Amino acid sequence: MEKLMEKIISLAKRRGFVFPSSEIYGGVEALWDYGPLGSLLKSNIKKEWLKTFVQKKDNVVLIDGTVVMHPKVWEASGHLKSFTDALIECKSCHARFRADHMDAGNFVGQGKAKAKNQCSLCGGKEFTEAKQFNLMFKTYLGPIEDEAHVAYLRPETAQSMFANFKHVQESMRLKIPFGIAQIGHCFRNEITTGNFTFRSREFDIAEIEYFVKPGEDEKIFDEWLNDWEKFFVDLGLKKENLRRYEHPKGDLAHYSKRTVDIEYKFPFGWSELAGVANRTDYDLSQHAKFSGKELGYFDEESGKTYIPYVIEPTLGVERLLLALLADAYGEVEGGRTKTTESVKEKEIVLKIDRKLAPVKVAILPLLKNKPDLVKKAKEIHGNLKTNFICQYDEAGSIGRRYRRQDEIGTPYCVTIDFDTLEKDEVTVRDRDTMAQEKVKVSELLNFLKLKLEV
Amino acid sequence: MEKLMEKIISLAKRRGFVFPSSEIYGGVEALWDYGPLGSLLKSNIKKEWLKTFVQKKDNVVLIDGTVVMHPKVWEASGHLKSFTDALIECKSCHARFRADHMDAGNFVGQGKAKAKNQCSLCGGKEFTEAKQFNLMFKTYLGPIEDEAHVAYLRPETAQSMFANFKHVQESMRLKIPFGIAQIGHCFRNEITTGNFTFRSREFDIAEIEYFVKPGEDEKIFDEWLNDWEKFFVDLGLKKENLRRYEHPKGDLAHYSKRTVDIEYKFPFGWSELAGVANRTDYDLSQHAKFSGKELGYFDEESGKTYIPYVIEPTLGVERLLLALLADAYGEVEGGRTKTTESVKEKEIVLKIDRKLAPVKVAILPLLKNKPDLVKKAKEIHGNLKTNFICQYDEAGSIGRRYRRQDEIGTPYCVTIDFDTLEKDEVTVRDRDTMAQEKVKVSELLNFLKLKLEV
């Protein structure tokens, strides 16, 4: 399984899914750039999420809030006090490590692990008492760097949905139950990083704060948990690679009545992909208290005002992307396509759902030295690209080009050959079945639209 | 014109386009949250941009890089040294102001302006010499806050496209000319803010770094300038509200051979909306120098390696959003719809392009106390919402509901009346012409798809 991880990292870099950020300068730990295919894949994930949970839902609306918010927000939410790791410091070289990794002798703070509770940098054996370190990135608003101007980069998107609760409810005339959804960039100054993109210092969270009447929270929690899980299965993740992890009562976060993680069987083991939490009325109550504002909801039926409970389904977008790559990755030893070349190496096929595939259609003229074929292929490419992300490729044998597309998960290859010139027919090859079908050029666009459900 | 700005701000808040960030805590200067309609509008702008400049172009690919990059990036790019404002400090209260606003007596640093070069906070008249203040937000990677761990939030997206130049070119097997595109979140610690969302501390930039052979840069510059401008006109901005501003040679940024701004006639005056710059080989050369890496491009035809020139078309996404609102905003005194109610107030119509409209279709049962109509309307809503962002509304008279949709720019209203129950026909009303057309329910989806070009 560890080997699968290496293969995915290698494919991701070689084919333009994921690059280490600032790699020409040696990179920065836990920061990753999404390349041409990775950024399209990410964009497609967001699109499907938006379609499923905003467009198709009657009572969920989107917002897009700022990363920097008023510092009071983090006081009210509890992040200033509780969003911390305990760190210890080596007394001789002042390197810092996570205290909870001390017993295991597994120090991953600023250097590599060393056994026997030694400092991994200088070998020192004496450490300070543990001190809390906040995981929020800190900055300053305006030119003066003092306590009065401190601001934080959000470590989650939830708080802007609470802070905007009234604005959203009133401007959209929403009635409970309703949800506010957001996909947003978040930052965490992680001490423990690793497992490729799994624990990054920058990432996108897609989440919903769903406001419900107290008493209806438990039922609605279960509904969202099912909906949330179904989303992953619909995007093609294998059911056997998904499981639920119910947080024991004693381990729940300070705001939570119940939390269930949806875990994915990553190549490095079962780990959190998404989750649903019952945040009760904690957040709105806290913000009401700290802001002095009335954040209740007036219930027309009962004539009473109450603070709604919140069910929060949440998802790490880049974690889903990594899960999708791992789930879709396949190899065929000795080659799956029969071509004139003898294929000795293994072939990679990325069987990613066609809704998510970064490139939808490849357009391949059979031979690049036949101007008629090239011209026709470019014409077809010109027509198709107004509808889908397409790739035109004329380099190498057809078999080689098929393999190139299989590796990046392109669902359909359209080959322009002599039949195209004579009978106005192209050959459409299906990534998964490798079946080839003749399609009239005039019917090609609709054929592909139907197949790709666009 | 100033009044138009107030009207837009009011509409934006009342109908859920834009809210002040963290407003329950008094807000934060120059930070704005995009509400349910604003976030959809922003998302539609990005979608159209992506379709126009990535999907439909043969040789432009997308990336999605991190906000925090290696600090060397900003040394190489010149930002550490040059991305600054000169500030002066009041000797008595230590408030800071922009030095270039000193002569005008127009201090907007931490307080309101006062004439006669007095400190606007304490009235002091003595100031320090001007000192450079960097506009990049500063933070620290890891738990130690010292110079060795300083990092910056990107003030533009361009640098990750330069840093990834080789990775992208090689993984996508691109040949010059080609472009790398990115829409990304950027941060600037602005001292001068104001004009609603125009100068915000957080914003999205959509830009392309288009790599060309030196010598071909001037011609390609002109092509991009035309393409870029055409994009705005295609999205419905009025031609007379757009103009070009050619930066005089002496005023060009240190990296630029030529820069042309595309200005929009905002309610507060002509201001920069977008631009095209010829960055020459400055950035790649700098990064090659600072990283010690080879960042040249091997030209197969000539057998020579050269550093490409870069043409950079760039756009402020939120500025375009503001321009679109201003451009689309219209009022009809006394009312445009003839209804049974006497309409005394003015009516607002947001004639925004249908591709960009946040809500595409409103579904309106004629009467909410007729269960048959409501049931049918909900059924139609259920079918349409799998394809478009729809709004179901049964509250108030039909005239009132039309006006509600006109205000937010919904292109089509579908009314379910007794003809729907008898003849299976709905009435589709066009926002701009107010023409009403009878459409068979079975043909409604295709009718709307065609109208909305989806």
Side-chain angles (χ1 to χ4, degrees):
Chain A
M1 286 297 264
E2 278 301 315
K3 227 183 148 194
L4 172 57
M5 202 61 198
E6 280 163 37
K7 287 173 179 175
I8 290 168
I9 295 172
S10 154
L11 177 75
K13 187 164 174 182
R14 183 165 52 83
R15 298 305 309 272
F17 284 91
V18 185
F19 307 128
S21 173
S22 319
E23 202 186 22
I24 54 171
Y25 294 105
V28 184
E29 210 187 337
L31 288 179
W32 302 92
D33 289 343
Y34 288 78
L37 300 186
S39 58
L40 288 174
L41 177 51
K42 204 159 139 184
S43 159
N44 290 343
I45 292 172
K46 291 180 183 177
K47 202 157 83 184
E48 286 304 316
W49 185 84
L50 196 65
K51 192 171 180 179
T52 306
F53 296 111
V54 177
Q55 184 182 313
K56 289 189 183 176
K57 293 271 180 191
D58 287 340
N59 53 357
V60 179
V61 297
L62 187 72
I63 71 163
D64 186 0
T66 53
V67 167
V68 174
M69 298 179 72
H70 197 289
K72 274 266 175 195
V73 167
W74 308 112
E75 231 178 278
S77 70
H79 281 82
L80 257 188
K81 209 175 140 193
S82 310
F83 197 65
T84 55
D85 274 346
L87 298 188
I88 53 169
E89 192 173 305
C90 166
K91 281 191 176 171
S92 45
C93 81
H94 304 289
R96 295 182 194 180
F97 305 96
R98 267 179 64 169
D100 58 340
H101 289 176
M102 180 79 178
D103 287 341
N106 179 27
F107 296 151
V108 279
Q110 301 175 317
K112 292 289 164 199
K114 250 190 186 177
K116 292 182 199 166
N117 290 352
Q118 267 183 298
C119 171
S120 58
L121 293 187
C122 75
K125 288 189 178 181
E126 282 187 67
F127 296 90
T128 61
E129 289 294 297
K131 231 182 99 179
Q132 293 302 321
F133 162 66
N134 202 295
L135 294 180
M136 290 193 291
F137 279 105
K138 196 163 107 176
T139 190
Y140 299 94
L141 279 167
I144 303 169
E145 296 181 6
D146 64 12
E147 278 308 305
H149 297 87
V150 164
Y152 300 93
L153 308 190
R154 66 176 173 196
E156 54 158 58
T157 64
Q159 299 308 321
S160 50
M161 305 197 254
F162 299 129
N164 282 310
F165 170 71
K166 275 276 169 183
H167 277 330
V168 171
Q169 189 261 317
E170 285 169 6
S171 64
M172 300 302 284
R173 302 154 57 243
L174 293 165
K175 285 182 182 159
I176 277 183
F178 71 87
I180 307 181
Q182 185 168 199
I183 303 186
H185 211 57
C186 298
F187 297 79
R188 291 185 189 178
N189 204 352
E190 296 283 359
I191 305 301
T192 314
T193 58
N195 284 331
F196 193 32
T197 58
F198 183 78
R199 196 175 296 279
S200 297
R201 280 165 159 166
E202 283 186 32
F203 50 95
D204 285 339
I205 293 182
E207 66 186 347
I208 296 168
E209 306 303 325
Y210 198 75
F211 300 93
V212 306
K213 195 172 170 172
E216 292 178 4
D217 51 313
E218 294 184 13
K219 189 177 131 274
I220 292 179
F221 183 101
D222 288 331
E223 288 168 10
W224 271 106
L225 186 56
N226 288 334
D227 272 15
W228 214 236
E229 209 170 51
K230 184 175 178 296
F231 178 65
F232 304 123
V233 175
D234 285 349
L235 291 186
L237 289 188
K238 295 181 189 79
K239 267 189 183 161
E240 64 266 30
N241 289 338
L242 290 166
R243 75 175 184 192
R244 294 178 181 187
Y245 169 71
E246 176 94 37
H247 287 229
K249 291 278 173 213
D251 292 354
L252 288 171
H254 58 285
Y255 54 75
S256 180
K257 179 175 163 185
R258 185 185 175 200
T259 299
V260 176
D261 291 347
I262 298 172
E263 295 189 332
Y264 179 78
K265 197 178 179 182
F266 286 96
F268 47 83
W270 288 99
S271 300
E272 186 186 351
L273 166 67
V276 181
N278 182 343
R279 298 181 76 122
T280 68
D281 59 2
Y282 175 79
D283 304 276
L284 287 180
S285 299
Q286 284 289 103
H287 285 300
K289 190 173 136 194
F290 279 74
S291 70
K293 298 276 191 283
E294 163 63 65
L295 295 182
Y297 170 80
F298 177 72
D299 184 17
E300 282 178 23
E301 260 178 57
S302 67
K304 284 180 188 160
T305 297
Y306 62 83
I307 304 264
Y309 266 39
V310 173
I311 306 301
E312 177 190 73
T314 177
L315 155 69
V317 175
E318 290 85 354
R319 288 188 179 182
L320 176 54
L321 192 151
L322 181 57
L324 287 162
L325 287 181
D327 221 72
Y329 186 93
E331 285 178 357
V332 182
E333 286 300 333
R336 65 199 288 251
T337 45
K338 306 292 164 227
T339 64
T340 47
E341 304 165 76
S342 65
V343 180
K344 278 166 193 147
E345 288 169 42
K346 64 173 195 297
E347 284 178 28
I348 297 169
V349 195
L350 201 64
K351 291 197 176 177
I352 200 157
D353 187 282
R354 53 203 66 186
K355 288 191 292 290
L356 299 178
V359 176
K360 304 296 184 196
V361 185
I363 293 99
L364 319 171
L366 186 65
L367 299 165
K368 76 165 170 181
N369 54 4
K370 299 284 174 195
D372 284 0
L373 288 180
V374 168
K375 192 184 157 207
K376 189 74 188 164
K378 288 193 170 165
E379 193 186 306
I380 290 171
H381 179 217
N383 288 334
L384 295 181
K385 77 183 177 190
T386 61
N387 290 273
F388 323 106
I389 296 277
C390 297
Q391 230 177 47
Y392 175 88
D393 186 7
E394 58 177 37
S397 73
I398 275 289
R400 196 186 178 90
R401 281 181 272 166
Y402 283 159
R403 291 201 292 284
R404 223 180 257 150
Q405 296 299 330
D406 285 350
E407 263 193 354
I408 61 169
T410 308
Y412 297 101
C413 288
V414 173
T415 303
I416 285 79
D417 56 24
F418 294 103
D419 273 2
T420 317
L421 301 179
E422 282 165 33
K423 301 186 214 160
D424 223 33
E425 274 178 6
V426 293
T427 305
V428 179
R429 173 189 182 265
D430 181 294
R431 176 195 70 198
D432 299 341
T433 63
M434 289 189 293
Q436 303 200 356
E437 197 172 337
K438 291 278 184 187
V439 177
K440 285 275 173 207
V441 172
S442 58
E443 287 157 20
L444 182 61
L445 179 59
N446 280 330
F447 175 90
L448 291 169
K449 272 189 176 178
L450 216 67
K451 289 272 189 190
L452 291 162
E453 295 170 48
V454 174
Chain B
M1 284 301 263
E2 278 300 316
K3 227 182 146 196
L4 171 59
M5 203 59 197
E6 281 164 37
K7 287 174 180 175
I8 289 168
I9 295 171
S10 156
L11 178 76
K13 188 167 175 182
R14 184 165 52 83
R15 298 305 310 270
F17 283 92
V18 184
F19 307 129
S21 173
S22 318
E23 203 188 21
I24 56 171
Y25 294 104
V28 185
E29 211 189 337
L31 289 178
W32 303 92
D33 289 343
Y34 288 78
L37 301 186
S39 59
L40 289 173
L41 176 51
K42 204 158 139 184
S43 159
N44 290 343
I45 291 171
K46 290 179 183 178
K47 203 156 83 183
E48 286 304 315
W49 185 85
L50 196 66
K51 191 170 180 181
T52 306
F53 295 112
V54 176
Q55 183 182 313
K56 290 189 183 176
K57 293 270 180 191
D58 288 339
N59 54 356
V60 178
V61 297
L62 188 71
I63 72 163
D64 185 2
T66 53
V67 168
V68 174
M69 298 181 73
H70 196 288
K72 274 265 177 196
V73 168
W74 307 113
E75 230 178 281
S77 70
H79 281 83
L80 257 188
K81 210 174 138 194
S82 310
F83 196 65
T84 53
D85 274 345
L87 298 188
I88 53 167
E89 192 174 304
C90 167
K91 280 190 176 170
S92 45
C93 80
H94 304 290
R96 294 183 195 179
F97 305 96
R98 267 179 65 171
D100 57 342
H101 290 176
M102 181 78 179
D103 286 342
N106 178 26
F107 296 151
V108 280
Q110 300 174 318
K112 294 287 164 199
K114 251 191 190 177
K116 292 181 198 166
N117 289 352
Q118 267 182 298
C119 172
S120 57
L121 292 187
C122 74
K125 289 186 177 183
E126 282 187 68
F127 297 90
T128 62
E129 288 294 296
K131 231 181 100 178
Q132 292 303 318
F133 162 68
N134 201 295
L135 295 180
M136 289 194 291
F137 279 105
K138 197 164 108 175
T139 190
Y140 300 95
L141 280 167
I144 303 169
E145 295 180 7
D146 64 10
E147 277 309 304
H149 296 87
V150 165
Y152 300 92
L153 309 191
R154 65 177 174 194
E156 54 157 59
T157 65
Q159 299 307 320
S160 51
M161 307 197 252
F162 300 128
N164 281 310
F165 170 72
K166 275 276 170 184
H167 277 329
V168 171
Q169 190 261 318
E170 285 170 6
S171 63
M172 301 301 284
R173 301 155 57 245
L174 294 164
K175 286 183 182 158
I176 278 183
F178 72 86
I180 307 180
Q182 185 169 199
I183 302 187
H185 210 57
C186 299
F187 296 79
R188 290 185 191 178
N189 205 352
E190 295 284 359
I191 305 301
T192 314
T193 58
N195 284 331
F196 193 32
T197 57
F198 184 78
R199 195 176 298 279
S200 298
R201 279 164 160 168
E202 283 187 31
F203 50 94
D204 286 339
I205 294 182
E207 65 186 347
I208 297 169
E209 305 304 324
Y210 199 76
F211 300 93
V212 306
K213 194 172 171 175
E216 292 178 5
D217 51 314
E218 294 183 15
K219 189 178 129 275
I220 293 179
F221 183 101
D222 288 330
E223 289 169 8
W224 272 107
L225 187 54
N226 288 333
D227 273 14
W228 214 237
E229 209 170 48
K230 184 176 178 298
F231 178 63
F232 304 123
V233 175
D234 285 350
L235 292 185
L237 290 188
K238 296 181 188 79
K239 267 189 184 162
E240 65 267 29
N241 289 338
L242 291 165
R243 73 176 186 193
R244 294 179 181 187
Y245 169 72
E246 176 94 37
H247 286 229
K249 291 279 172 211
D251 291 353
L252 289 170
H254 57 284
Y255 53 75
S256 181
K257 179 175 163 185
R258 186 187 175 198
T259 299
V260 176
D261 292 346
I262 298 171
E263 296 188 331
Y264 179 77
K265 196 180 179 180
F266 287 96
F268 46 84
W270 287 100
S271 301
E272 187 185 350
L273 165 69
V276 180
N278 182 342
R279 298 182 74 123
T280 68
D281 60 1
Y282 175 80
D283 304 275
L284 287 179
S285 300
Q286 284 290 102
H287 286 299
K289 189 173 135 193
F290 277 75
S291 70
K293 299 276 190 285
E294 163 62 66
L295 296 181
Y297 170 82
F298 177 72
D299 184 18
E300 282 178 22
E301 259 178 58
S302 67
K304 283 180 188 159
T305 297
Y306 63 84
I307 304 265
Y309 265 38
V310 173
I311 305 301
E312 176 191 74
T314 178
L315 155 69
V317 176
E318 290 84 356
R319 289 189 177 182
L320 176 54
L321 192 152
L322 181 57
L324 286 162
L325 287 181
D327 221 71
Y329 187 93
E331 285 177 357
V332 182
E333 285 300 334
R336 65 199 286 251
T337 45
K338 305 292 163 226
T339 64
T340 47
E341 303 165 79
S342 65
V343 179
K344 280 167 194 146
E345 289 168 42
K346 63 175 195 296
E347 285 179 28
I348 297 169
V349 194
L350 201 65
K351 291 196 175 176
I352 200 158
D353 188 284
R354 55 202 64 187
K355 290 192 291 291
L356 299 178
V359 176
K360 303 296 185 198
V361 185
I363 293 99
L364 318 171
L366 185 65
L367 299 165
K368 76 166 167 179
N369 55 4
K370 298 285 173 197
D372 283 2
L373 288 181
V374 168
K375 193 185 157 206
K376 190 71 188 169
K378 288 191 172 167
E379 193 186 306
I380 290 172
H381 179 217
N383 287 334
L384 295 181
K385 76 184 178 189
T386 61
N387 290 273
F388 322 105
I389 297 276
C390 297
Q391 230 177 47
Y392 174 87
D393 186 6
E394 58 179 34
S397 73
I398 275 288
R400 198 186 176 90
R401 282 181 271 166
Y402 283 159
R403 291 199 293 283
R404 222 179 257 149
Q405 296 299 331
D406 285 350
E407 264 194 354
I408 62 169
T410 308
Y412 297 101
C413 288
V414 173
T415 303
I416 286 79
D417 55 23
F418 295 104
D419 272 2
T420 316
L421 301 180
E422 281 165 31
K423 302 187 214 159
D424 224 32
E425 275 178 5
V426 292
T427 304
V428 179
R429 174 188 181 267
D430 183 294
R431 176 195 69 198
D432 299 340
T433 63
M434 290 190 291
Q436 304 200 355
E437 197 172 338
K438 291 279 183 186
V439 178
K440 286 274 171 209
V441 172
S442 58
E443 287 157 20
L444 183 61
L445 179 60
N446 279 331
F447 175 89
L448 290 169
K449 272 189 178 179
L450 217 66
K451 289 275 189 187
L452 292 161
E453 295 172 47
V454 175

